[in-house]
Amino acid sequence: MQNDLTSKIPFRENIRHLKNLLAAVHGLDRSYFFLNILRLLTDTANGALRLVLSADILELLYEGRPMEEIMKSVVLLLVFPSLLTLASSVLWNEFISPRKENIIRIYNGNFAAKFQSMDYSLLESPYVKELMERIDRANIWGAGISDVFWKSDGIIYQILNIICSAVVALPILNTMVHSRNPWFWMGLVMLVLLLVGLTRLYSKTNAALQETILSDFTKKFPIELRKKYVSFTWYWVGRCMGGDYHFIKDIHLYDGYEMMKKYTSDNIRESENAMHWARTSEKMSRKCGMIQGFTQRLMTLAGYLISGAFCILGAFSVGNVVKFAGALTNIIMGFQRMEEQYKDLCLTARREAYTLKMFRINDEMYKGQLPVEKRLDNKYEVEFRNVSFRYPGTDSYALKHFSLKLTVGERMAIVGMNGSGKTTMIKLLCRLYDPQEGEILLNGVDIRKFRQDEYIRLFSVVFQDFRLLSMPLGQNVAASMETDGGRAMEVLAQAGLSERMEQMPEGLDTWLYQEIQDEGVEISGGEAQKIAIARALYKDAPFVLLDEPTASLDPLSEYEIYSRFDTMVQNKTAIYISHRLSSCRFCNDIAVFHEGRLVQRGSHEELLKDEKGKYYELWHAQAQYYVTENGEG
């Protein structure tokens, strides 16, 4: 239920959340609210005009006026409300609805852009992770920024409706006040007391029923069960609706459908307490609806009865009975509905407050000011000098007192067990993170002093968890809308995709995957890795880094790619990371990582001579899997 995600918060805090959210929407389109208020004013004026003209026609009929006079009012009732309806429709269809959809697209696009552009180190920080969890939970129960429009529309409409109704009712009240009718004040007091009493009765009864529902819900359907149900349901449904069908093969092969079903639909259906709550909630909701409808009808009836009494006593004309009763009912019900919609909008504002917090997060990494020297000879030298680093929210060091120098044109293989710091070193080198201790130098200058956007251009990286997008093949390779076709074909051939390219129906314009285009081509994991390598070659950066991108290939295929890649990079500096030591034998320089430290460095032959070294241990642990029939590796 909604109340589970929000607690009672102070009025000022509600106003602050509302102000921030509406200001954010207004900042995306400064004319939206003005145009929408104009449309809603047209709608409320339309309703008030219908009420007044209908009452006037009734009075003319009651007084027996000539048909010509009556027909004039009938024509006005037909023409002017129709014109106002047409104006409202034009405002909505031509101006407001397109702006609303555009605001939603920009808002969601800004969120995606913020998430993609913020410091990588922030993405893994506990604060951002918690914020994302809160945003996910809030979006489970609400419609996000879309809620703002229809809920704010309801409030604005009720405010304008109250104003228009007051404009209709006040002249009648003024006439009654000046008539000095002795029954006026007594009737007015009776009317106000009756309407206030009915309103309080509805509010208290409705609140009591909702409290009963919430209490029973909390007791019979505890928070732990709710979280489990919601989490698993949205996990599976979200993956299916998002087109992520790759996991389905595992469900089929391991007969996991029943397990998934238990965690989702059956999780709530088979819960006796949840079923009891569902039945109780349904009954209570029906009661709330009946009480609300009955109370509103009583208000309308009371307004007409008392207005009719005024008419009998001579204080009202027949037409004023309709006007006053209708206007008064609109005012009372308007306040009631506005209160409910205000609560709903506050709830939306509090949910969206987490997204707005995400927008306000500032990058922490210093972006640098020095331009990176562009060298045609690619003579860049990188040095890690006594670097220590730990990830956000952790106390243990991923790298500790780490020092390493990379010289131009060098081929280095980095090996080590999981968690030894290999990938961390690559992330620091690419300045996805900054070390807590020590420094990383480029040609003798701390890399934090260089312009970050220029520094990143020095590196082509293929991580183990790389991703290709559901876009044309050429754009995936170029990572750009503009693709050099000849260059793309060349690097794809170098990566070993020549034969597969011949099967692509539209060459570089062939879409990958089918999330967007039904004609998209499905590719294997090995083919995806080769495309990722081609992307690294296409960038033509002086440093090329492969962080186990061939993990899904067999050892021989991996060795073949690494050996061929060694000739592809030419005079560039290349670093290879692999769990398979046999794939890195072609490198004359092998660095061995263990527990965040560089423990050995040398050629394959040199490292094997140290029988007590980590490389010797790792090599002999894996060698049995790579030995050929003649005993050679």
Side-chain angles (χ1 to χ4, degrees), residues 54 136 153 182 201 217 283 365:
S54 298
D136 288 340
D153 282 2
L201 174 64
F217 177 77
K283 291 178 182 178
M365 296 180 69

Side-chain angles (χ1 to χ4, degrees), residues 485-553:
R487 174 68 177 159
M489 293 295 290
E490 179 185 351
V491 295
L492 285 167
Q494 289 177 345
L497 276 170
S498 297
E499 294 183 5
R500 185 67 174 94
M501 281 293 300
E502 294 175 359
Q503 303 172 13
M504 295 284 188
E506 299 182 35
L508 294 175
D509 293 327
T510 302
W511 280 74
L512 302 185
Y513 310 117
Q514 298 176 348
E515 286 89 343
I516 298 178
Q517 289 285 345
D518 293 338
E519 298 79 15
V521 172
E522 291 298 318
I523 56 176
S524 67
E527 290 169 341
Q529 288 171 328
K530 292 178 180 179
I531 295 173
I533 292 173
R535 180 165 60 190
L537 291 171
Y538 185 95
K539 187 177 180 181
D540 196 24
F543 290 90
V544 182
L545 316 173
L546 300 185
D547 184 10
E548 300 190 82
T550 55
S552 65
L553 300 180

